[in-house]
Amino acid sequence: MSAITIMSLYIISCCLFTCPSFVCHIGTVVAIIMLLFGGFYIKNLPYIVDYLAVLSPFQFAYNGALIVLFNSVDVKCNDDIYTSVCSIYYNLPHTNQNIVPLSMIYSYLNISGTLQSNILVLLVYCILSRVIAYLALRFRKIVPTNK
């Protein structure tokens, strides 16, 4: 889903700019910035740029992937696997019976929303970017070239 959304953003840049090399350069820069703000590499953003993470479709894809991952597994605090969720963040004792609740894992990983809401945001991103690309092509003025 995130690949389709990023492809839609590239479609917008192709429709807005006519120079193919400029589209490649600006698209790569925008994709890298969105990837950085998406939550893969930077977990705690400064307060000034924290709102930019909402603009990144990677954040919603990453949150959805983490929700799917942690819904199917129980994280236990035992001696063999002493997770950082148990030890550092919540200071829970490490016993075999102590299962970390999903809400604690979600808050530790800064996961927001449900799986359905993250998918819905990605769909809105995809549809909205394609509408913007259509409007950019529809209202583009044709400039005659000199030969």
Side-chain angles (χ1 to χ4, degrees), residues 53-131:
V54 177
L55 298 177
S56 174
F58 286 113
Q59 178 193 17
F60 301 104
Y62 183 62
N63 284 345
L66 288 177
I67 289 171
V68 168
L69 177 72
F70 283 109
N71 274 340
S72 62
V73 68
D74 290 333
V75 177
K76 295 181 180 179
C77 297
N78 57 16
D79 291 329
D80 298 333
I81 305 168
Y82 193 63
T83 61
S84 62
V85 176
C86 299
S87 64
I88 298 169
Y89 197 67
Y90 289 104
N91 203 11
L92 295 174
H94 49 119
T95 61
N96 287 335
Q97 288 79 22
N98 196 4
I99 296 175
V100 180
L102 285 176
S103 62
M104 287 185 176
I105 295 172
Y106 290 170
S107 66
Y108 178 73
L109 295 174
N110 295 328
I111 297 174
S112 60
T114 62
L115 180 62
Q116 292 83 8
S117 67
N118 286 317
I119 290 174
L120 182 67
V121 168
L122 286 174
L123 283 173
V124 167
Y125 238 105
C126 185
I127 292 169
L128 187 66
S129 60
R130 289 176 189 248
V131 167

